[in-house]
Amino acid sequence: MLDIAVLVSGGGTNLQAIIDRIADGSLSKVRIVGVIASRPGTVAEQRAVRADIPVKIVCRKDAPDLAAYDRAVIAALSDWNPELIVLAGFLNLLGPAVVATWRNRIINVHPSLIPSFCGPGYYGIRPHEAVLASGVRVTGATVHIVNEEYDQGPIILQKAVTVHADDTPQTLQLRVMQEAEQVILPKAIALFAAGRIQIEDRKAIILGGTEND
Ligand code: GAR
């Protein structure tokens, strides 16, 4: 059994996808031991409570600096002793102490095809606004390992989504979430649970390959 903690900030649709895949058996040998929300009153928190998952709120603004925030996150997570940390729509930056404590065991889902439309300032609806402004025909989502650099860690899975001429940032965001994020995030967790992810330098090697190979 792989014990995971999920960190959230908003709607929690990615958290819900993980809960649903565990419930329908397609994500087996995985248990969500706890959810950390970055602020009180999120829909994501309601989803966790509904699924009987313990929730803690750890606010960045309650900590005087990043090091103190890091300590609060580590303390909250340590109670649950998770083997994998999943950032599912989590919009705060984690500091180096958290990254070092769970080295190569923190993953994030990002709503674009990294290395495009990522890095500081590209979160939530913003990557989709930038995609439409740029005129690219294809976007998508990426699941990657979290390291000290924003959206720069080794890539585990990506899935492309076609941009439509009549897309708004909102319609594109919804399609990227449903067709890409909610598909590849549970898949990446399953790869971890199966012990199939190995990190070499800047790359994530998937033992046994992916369906794209
Ligand atoms: C998702 O699109 C996620 O990829 C994005 O925020 C949204 C939250 O959705 N995350 C980032 O932008 C992180 N850089 P959710 O709360 O419904 O899962």
Side-chain angles (χ1 to χ4, degrees):
M1 190 62 80
L2 180 79
D3 284 353
I4 69 170
V6 184
L7 274 56
V8 297
S9 292
T13 57
N14 281 294
L15 168 65
Q16 191 66 55
I18 301 167
I19 292 169
D20 291 347
R21 295 294 77 74
I22 291 174
D24 71 18
S26 53
L27 189 51
S28 58
K29 301 194 183 78
V30 174
R31 176 172 56 193
I32 306 177
V33 289
V35 164
I36 291 186
S38 61
R39 59 189 172 89
T42 60
V43 176
E45 179 184 351
Q46 293 169 18
R47 293 179 192 272
V49 169
R50 213 180 307 138
D52 274 332
I53 301 166
V55 182
K56 293 180 190 179
I57 314 289
V58 185
C59 297
R60 174 66 181 86
K61 65 173 166 44
D62 292 342
D65 53 30
L66 185 60
Y69 176 63
D70 251 18
R71 285 194 294 277
V73 171
I74 289 171
L77 286 171
S78 295
D79 289 344
W80 296 321
N81 200 22
E83 295 156 278
L84 179 71
I85 314 291
V86 179
L87 310 190
F90 183 70
L91 302 184
N92 282 4
L93 182 69
L94 292 174
V98 176
V99 174
T101 303
W102 284 276
R103 171 75 59 199
N104 292 337
R105 292 187 294 136
I106 308 176
I107 63 175
N108 176 49
V109 61
H110 180 78
S112 77
L113 293 175
I114 290 175
S116 293
F117 309 107
C118 64
Y122 285 104
Y123 59 86
I125 196 77
R126 295 184 186 195
H128 307 294
E129 291 169 346
V131 159
L132 293 180
S134 77
V136 295
R137 304 294 190 221
V138 177
T139 182
T142 303
V143 176
H144 65 94
I145 300 279
V146 172
N147 64 13
E148 286 78 3
E149 302 161 79
Y150 219 95
D151 293 338
Q152 296 286 307
I155 290 170
I156 300 168
L157 292 174
Q158 293 188 300
K159 192 166 192 292
V161 171
T162 304
V163 178
H164 297 166
D166 60 354
D167 264 327
T168 64
Q170 287 72 23
T171 61
L172 186 57
Q173 179 183 43
L174 187 64
R175 239 176 26 263
V176 168
M177 284 173 154
Q178 292 178 339
E179 294 179 11
E181 296 183 41
Q182 292 162 22
V183 176
I184 62 175
L185 186 57
K187 266 191 192 168
I189 297 168
L191 289 171
F192 258 96
R196 290 179 53 197
I197 297 182
Q198 195 172 299
I199 309 301
E200 288 178 15
D201 300 325
R202 298 190 66 80
K203 286 172 74 174
I205 313 294
I206 298 180
L207 305 174
T210 69
E211 61 221 50
N212 298 331
D213 295 333

